Every structure is written in structure tokens, then in C-alpha cells.
Amino acid sequence: MTAGEASGRGPRARMVFSAAQLLRRGGVGATGMRDVVEHARAPRGSLQHYFPGGKEQLVNEAVEWAGQYAAGRVARFVAGLPEPTPSGLFAAMVRQWTDELARAGETSGCPVAAAVVDRADTSESTRTAAAAAFATWTGPLAGALTDMGVPAARAEALATVMISAVEGALLIARAERDVRALTTVARELGPLLDGAVVRH
Amino acid sequence: MTAGEASGRGPRARMVFSAAQLLRRGGVGATGMRDVVEHARAPRGSLQHYFPGGKEQLVNEAVEWAGQYAAGRVARFVAGLPEPTPSGLFAAMVRQWTDELARAGETSGCPVAAAVVDRADTSESTRTAAAAAFATWTGPLAGALTDMGVPAARAEALATVMISAVEGALLIARAERDVRALTTVARELGPLLDGAVVRH
DNA sequence: GGCCGTCTATGACGGCTGTCATAGTAGCGG
DNA sequence: CCGCTACTATGACAGCCGTCATAGACGGCC
């Protein structure tokens, strides 16, 4: 989700990407349409052309993009694991945030969380988009767990636990400007996750 | 955190309470000063009198209030438990949210989370206030765990896990407008929490 | 009565917001 | 050259925001 992913794509995709990026910082309220255009280095006139639904549509697509991004990372994390264990996968998910937090001043959060906090009660479509984003994230995550030997019945529940813990710990970590909460949940939840694996 | 807690106190306290209430709905951006005044049924002129620091001060105090409120609930939850176990305490914390979600349309979130999402990168004082709120919540929670037999070394870590899980699951629950994520983390984390108790 | 500190009332100001109306350009098939 | 579509440019608009300036009310205390 760092810079560099924006180049090469068209203006439309860049705007969605930039919107997601800015949502992570100050939420929906602090993310102006003009800011998105400038961040994406896109023409302002393209806004009403590509997003006739206005800010709501842009936010929704940014949330959708974030969900797909998170889902895609799951497979990459599994591939990068020396041996595929649930605790290892969870640690990798957490490490993505601790690494970003370790880089100077970077304390951005999750765009989906921002959308929920700012718009869940206001925009039904945004609320739905956020729910869909969580679902597209949970799917591959639960799939990875079952591949590691977690019974299908528990895999989805544990995937929800993993996402909840990461999102919540990220909130605390941003407030404290410290990775403590993130590393804590990774350490404490590891045994629980690995304990769900059934040997065969 | 429901209605009724506002009456009897002075206008100043009512405004802080109302600010926290409104923060839960739409975050900082959607919470206007005029909205707070109206919700608190307080005179508008009192704003610049009681909160010369402006909106930032009001938000910070609302966050601080929320932290103290959450801390106070911990003791009440423990007192209401038939037998004091970590899983029982966690279930009680979760139930507060599921109950509220079950009531029609109520999908408000946590004011501290809202402050973090919207202001963590903007206002240093608000970020600090949020970190303090989490700390005043974690303290009594860890204390309750040690009283139940959890070693002091792990109690604080598990308290962080509990808060992270609740905050994250609440995010998902608001998006889905369903208690699923909340009940899931309560069920899955119960054994882990109780397993930390050492018999004597 | 005169003074003062505490609190309230109200209108105004500049700035920013999302959105829209309108016009313009580029490229391409005919 | 025309016409059409896709895209861009730009200025304006109404509305809301947080903040401030100014003035008034109320009550106690010398």
C-alpha cells in the first residue's frame, strides 16, 4: 500500500488508490475531493466524470479496493512463510503494520475502519461496502487456515478473531504511537491459533 | 452510556457527555460544536467559556470521559459475575455491545476509536488523550484479571488482547450490522483467557 | 448602589466543503 | 470537414464549519 503502486494505472484507479491512502490518515471527514485529486495527480474534472456518485462512490470504491488488497496480501504472506502455521500467518499480518509504524511518523490506519467509524451510521452503501471488504478479507484468510489443518468449522471464526485483533490493536498502537499492542496480540494469540490445527 | 446519565450534572459535564455520544456516531468530522450544544441542551455561549481550547479540548475531554467510563464498567462487570472468571468478564464486556446493537438501529461505536481514526495524525493532544483513555481502561482490567488468578506478568497483555478484540470486533459488527463478530471473539477467546489462570 | 466575576446571547467572519454548470480539447470514424 | 464520444478545465454556488467580538444578564460582596 506504499507509493509506487499508483503509477502505470489510469487516473481513475489512481484516484481510488489515493482516496484509500488519505482515508487512512484522517478519516472520511478530513479527506477532501480536492485533496484526492492532488494526491493522485489527476485532473479535477475527471472526478465528476469517473465518479458521478460523488464522494460516497469514491469512498466506497476505496474501501472495496482495500478489501481486495488485504485479501491479496494473505496469499503473499502464506507464500513467504518458512512453514505454514496459523501463528506465523498472523505474525506476518501484524508485522506489516509494525514495519510501517517503525518507519518515521507513519501512523496511518486502516481505510475500512475509517469508513466504518465515519459513515456506518450515515451512508448505508458505505456500510455495506465495508462489510463486503471485511468479507473478502475473511474469505482467503479462512481458506489459508483450513489449508494449514484448521477444521473448516472453526476457520472462519478464527479468521474473524485475527482481523478483530489486528484492527483493535492497530487502533491502540496508533494512539500510543507504539507497536506494543500489535506485538502483544501476535504473541498471545499465537498458541490459540496453532492449537486449532488438527494433525493428520 | 445511555440517556439519563446527562441529567443532574452541570452544562459543562453535559457537553462533554454529549460530545462523546456524538463522536460514537459519525466521528470527529461529523460532530459539530453546534450539534454538541443542541444535544446537551446547553447554551451555545458556554462553549467558549468552558472550552477555550475549542473543539480539540472538547474532544479530548470526551475521550478522557470515555476512558473513565470504560474503566468504571470493569468493576461493575466483575461484581455482576456469578463466578469471577476471565472469560466471564470478557463475555460481559462483549454483551454490553451486543445488547446495544440488538436495540433498534443502534450501531454507535467507541468514541476513543473515533478520535484515533480521525485525529491521531492531526492532533497530538488528542492522540495522547486516546492513549491515556486506553491506559485507564487497561489498568482496572488487568487488575481484575490478577484478582482472578492470572499472573501479573500476563495480566496486562491479556487486557490488551481483550480490548483489541472488542474494538476490532465492534468495527466489523457495525459494518455488518450484526453481532456475529462480537459473539465470535467472545467464544473463541474464552478458553485462552481462562487458561491463563493459575490454580492455588 | 457600585463593582466584579461567572456565565450566557447572538451575530458575523473567513475558510473550506461537495457539487454543479458550462465550456473546452483530443482523438477517431465517416 | 463533420460529428461524436471521452475526457478535462474552471469558475461559481450554497452551505456548513470553528472561531471570535461584542454585549448583556445574574448574583454575591464590599
Side-chain angles (χ1 to χ4, degrees):
Chain A
M1 206 182 287
T2 58
E5 308 202 29
S7 47
R9 283 184 292 225
R12 210 204 118 104
R14 286 209 311 275
M15 284 191 272
V16 174
F17 172 81
S18 288
Q21 196 83 353
L22 293 180
L23 276 181
R24 299 178 359 132
R25 300 214 227 291
V28 181
T31 302
M33 307 265 88
R34 293 163 173 85
D35 300 337
V36 172
V37 163
E38 186 185 11
H39 185 276
R41 267 184 293 265
R44 186 158 88 87
S46 298
L47 261 180
Q48 69 180 298
H49 182 70
Y50 289 120
F51 305 95
K55 188 175 188 177
E56 187 172 9
Q57 181 187 355
L58 180 57
V59 169
N60 292 358
E61 294 200 23
V63 166
E64 181 186 357
W65 178 89
Q68 291 171 351
Y69 172 84
R73 290 297 297 234
V74 172
R76 303 247 299 263
F77 285 149
V78 173
L81 249 41
E83 53 177 348
T85 64
S87 67
L89 173 56
F90 187 58
M93 290 171 57
V94 166
R95 198 172 314 122
Q96 177 180 16
W97 292 106
T98 57
D99 287 353
E100 185 171 335
L101 206 62
R103 284 196 297 271
E106 286 277 349
T107 54
S108 299
C110 170
V112 186
V116 171
V117 165
D118 289 337
R119 288 287 186 266
D121 283 18
T122 306
S123 164
E124 186 74 7
S125 71
T126 301
R127 204 211 83 231
T128 303
F134 280 129
T136 68
W137 187 4
T138 306
L141 197 51
L145 291 179
T146 59
D147 290 347
M148 293 172 181
V150 176
R154 274 194 81 193
E156 193 173 358
L158 286 184
T160 297
V161 169
M162 291 166 77
I163 295 178
S164 295
V166 160
E167 290 283 359
L170 179 58
L171 240 35
I172 301 176
R174 287 187 76 191
E176 297 182 346
R177 217 190 268 278
D178 192 291
V179 298
R180 181 193 66 87
L182 285 163
T183 56
T184 296
V185 296
R187 171 167 30 88
E188 295 293 334
L189 256 46
L192 170 75
L193 298 172
D194 286 343
V197 175
V198 291
R199 307 259 166 240
H200 55 86
Chain B
M1 205 180 287
T2 57
E5 307 202 25
S7 46
R9 282 184 291 226
R12 210 204 116 104
R14 285 208 314 273
M15 284 192 272
V16 173
F17 172 81
S18 289
Q21 197 83 353
L22 294 179
L23 277 181
R24 299 179 0 133
R25 300 216 227 293
V28 181
T31 301
M33 306 265 87
R34 293 164 173 85
D35 301 337
V36 173
V37 164
E38 187 185 12
H39 185 276
R41 268 186 291 265
R44 187 159 88 85
S46 299
L47 261 180
Q48 68 180 300
H49 185 254
Y50 288 120
F51 306 95
K55 187 175 189 178
E56 187 172 8
Q57 181 186 355
L58 180 56
V59 169
N60 292 358
E61 295 201 22
V63 166
E64 180 185 358
W65 178 89
Q68 291 171 352
Y69 172 83
R73 292 296 296 238
V74 172
R76 304 245 298 264
F77 285 148
V78 172
L81 251 40
E83 52 176 348
T85 64
S87 67
L89 172 56
F90 188 57
M93 289 171 57
V94 166
R95 198 172 314 121
Q96 176 179 17
W97 293 108
T98 58
D99 287 352
E100 184 171 335
L101 205 62
R103 285 197 296 271
E106 286 278 352
T107 55
S108 298
C110 169
V112 186
V116 170
V117 165
D118 289 337
R119 287 287 186 267
D121 284 19
T122 305
S123 163
E124 185 74 9
S125 71
T126 302
R127 204 210 84 229
T128 303
F134 280 129
T136 68
W137 188 4
T138 306
L141 196 51
L145 290 180
T146 58
D147 289 348
M148 293 171 181
V150 175
R154 274 194 81 192
E156 192 174 358
L158 286 184
T160 298
V161 169
M162 292 167 78
I163 295 178
S164 295
V166 160
E167 290 283 358
L170 179 58
L171 240 35
I172 301 177
R174 288 187 74 192
E176 296 183 349
R177 219 190 266 279
D178 191 290
V179 298
R180 182 194 65 88
L182 285 163
T183 56
T184 296
V185 297
R187 171 168 29 87
E188 294 292 333
L189 255 45
L192 170 75
L193 298 173
D194 286 343
V197 174
V198 291
R199 307 254 167 244
H200 54 85

